[in-house]
Amino acid sequence: MFARQIGVDLGTVSVLVYVRGKGIVLQEPSVVAISVRDNRIMAVGSEAHSMLGRTPETIEVARPMREGVIADYVVTEKMLHHFIRKVCGRVHVKPTVMVSVPVGVTSVESRAVRDATLAAGAREAFLIPGPLAAALGAGLPVGTPSGNMVVDIGGGTCEAAVIAVHGIVVASSVRSGGCKLDEAISAFVRRKYNLLIGDQTAEEIKIAIGSALPLEQELTMEVRGRDQVAGLPRTIQVTSSEITEALAEPLAAIVNTVRSVLEKTPPELASDIIDRGMVMTGGGSLLRNIDRFLTKHTGVPCHVAENPVACVALGAGKALEMTDILRRTLDVP
């Protein structure tokens, strides 16, 4: 019975699925391995992710989602079908699915998500803006007329929004999320040390020693890659202060997005946000000191939600129970 209602956070980096009555039942990378010869899906999720940067020419490992929207419709549909089947099993009753989409997606992009979800085996497909889902999942009182601000830093985008009375009052997004942070680290290591590293290595560096602000006690990490000049494998030591320097540009883009939302927020709601602060969700909010970094640059108190990575999926699941209330703000037929 419960598997008939599921909420999906269809992200650039990972897909999370919430099943009513069970909670988060699936969290896997949104990566698909495809055979180049016959265009057949070889692996999906964690299995495909382990192949990134390690495959022969006959296998292509791709992310069908880019910057929060569908880049490859056919592959996204097959990926969704795999995850829905994994969660629901071979049941005769098709599930009702609520999928999160970025703020400001075009009608074409929205239709692509809905069509892909229906083609993947859903009976009904509803869409919910990511920040609204994140606020619901974080437990914010979005139904009240007071202002709630959420900053959702995902893999492909950062979205900031002020929410009141079950709707988004002001929102802005920038295509600068966790992937851009990884790219900035790769570019820095290449520029400073002439060392080429992969996306996974860059992400490992970010998790191990990355920080938005300089740390009191500096961390170091051994990094292996390929020397650009000699073309041979080489090992270097990088420090947390270097990574903080590398992350400055993409973090500045995130701050500008948050500030642009605060500048457009109506005065009454702005006073609520000063009192309550803003809540951070998404995997990017796990970067060390990013809450202090935002507070420093905006003057608004900031704190990270209890389970930031799962907030959007949890909120999408909760939204299925209140479609009547959300009908005026959701893309619900």
Side-chain angles (χ1 to χ4, degrees):
M1 173 186 169
F2 284 127
R4 292 174 193 168
Q5 289 198 335
I6 64 178
V8 179
D9 175 6
L10 189 60
T12 307
V13 170
S14 59
V15 174
L16 281 85
V17 178
Y18 166 93
V19 174
R20 187 179 174 187
K22 294 182 181 177
I24 302 292
V25 294
L26 182 141
Q27 180 178 350
E28 292 205 31
S30 45
V31 181
V32 180
I34 306 157
S35 170
V36 174
R37 286 174 184 160
D38 54 7
N39 218 24
R40 184 171 52 86
I41 302 286
M42 298 186 68
V44 180
S46 301
E47 192 184 343
H49 187 261
S50 64
M51 299 181 187
L52 271 173
R54 302 166 184 267
T55 55
E57 288 181 4
T58 52
I59 300 172
E60 182 192 355
V61 181
R63 291 189 184 274
M65 302 290 297
R66 279 200 203 109
E67 295 169 343
V69 294
I70 291 176
D72 188 321
Y73 177 85
V74 175
V75 177
T76 300
E77 181 202 312
K78 288 178 178 174
M79 180 179 75
L80 262 175
H81 185 270
H82 172 86
F83 290 141
I84 289 173
R85 175 66 63 84
K86 194 170 181 179
V87 168
C88 298
R90 295 177 180 273
V91 290
H92 298 297
V93 181
K94 292 183 173 183
T96 300
V97 182
M98 179 76 76
V99 186
S100 69
V101 291
V103 164
V105 290
T106 64
S107 57
V108 174
E109 289 167 339
S110 294
R111 200 177 307 118
V113 175
R114 183 184 279 117
D115 290 351
T117 307
L118 291 169
R123 179 168 58 91
E124 288 180 287
F126 301 129
L127 307 181
I128 182 170
L132 180 56
L136 279 167
L140 298 181
V142 296
T144 63
S146 54
N148 300 277
M149 184 162 181
V150 65
V151 180
D152 182 35
I153 306 175
T157 58
C158 167
E159 298 179 287
V162 175
I163 296 159
V165 200
H166 293 117
I168 293 175
V169 181
V170 186
S172 181
S173 68
V174 64
R175 295 186 169 183
S176 180
C179 294
K180 280 282 190 289
L181 298 179
D182 297 343
E183 287 170 20
I185 291 170
S186 295
F188 177 86
V189 171
R190 186 172 65 245
R191 194 170 59 246
K192 184 165 183 179
Y193 293 103
N194 274 329
L195 193 76
L196 293 172
I197 60 171
D199 293 341
Q200 281 180 286
T201 304
E203 187 181 15
E204 285 165 14
I205 295 169
K206 178 183 72 181
I207 293 166
I209 63 172
S211 176
L213 293 171
L215 296 171
E216 289 179 16
Q217 191 171 352
E218 191 153 87
L219 302 172
T220 60
M221 181 178 173
E222 202 174 72
V223 177
R224 297 177 182 86
R226 194 180 83 231
D227 192 293
Q228 261 188 308
V229 180
L232 298 172
R234 184 159 66 94
T235 303
I236 59 164
Q237 289 274 350
V238 292
T239 64
S240 55
S241 57
E242 288 176 319
I243 302 307
T244 300
E245 181 189 335
L247 297 176
E249 194 176 323
L251 288 176
I254 290 170
V255 167
N256 290 338
T257 303
V258 173
R259 290 180 75 158
S260 72
V261 168
L262 289 168
E263 285 164 9
K264 291 182 279 187
T265 301
E268 296 295 339
L269 295 179
S271 65
D272 295 334
I273 291 161
I274 286 290
D275 288 342
R276 294 181 177 189
M278 53 181 136
V279 175
M280 297 187 70
T281 63
S285 62
L286 296 172
L287 180 70
R288 289 177 187 81
N289 296 320
I290 195 163
D291 49 346
R292 286 175 53 213
F293 179 83
L294 274 181
T295 301
K296 178 184 172 185
H297 286 87
T298 61
V300 177
C302 184
H303 60 276
V304 180
E306 190 178 331
N307 188 357
V309 176
C311 280
V312 173
L314 289 169
K318 282 185 184 177
L320 275 170
E321 300 166 33
M322 47 199 295
T323 47
D324 290 340
I325 302 170
L326 295 170
R327 199 171 289 275
R328 61 182 178 274
T329 56
L330 282 180
D331 186 3
V332 176

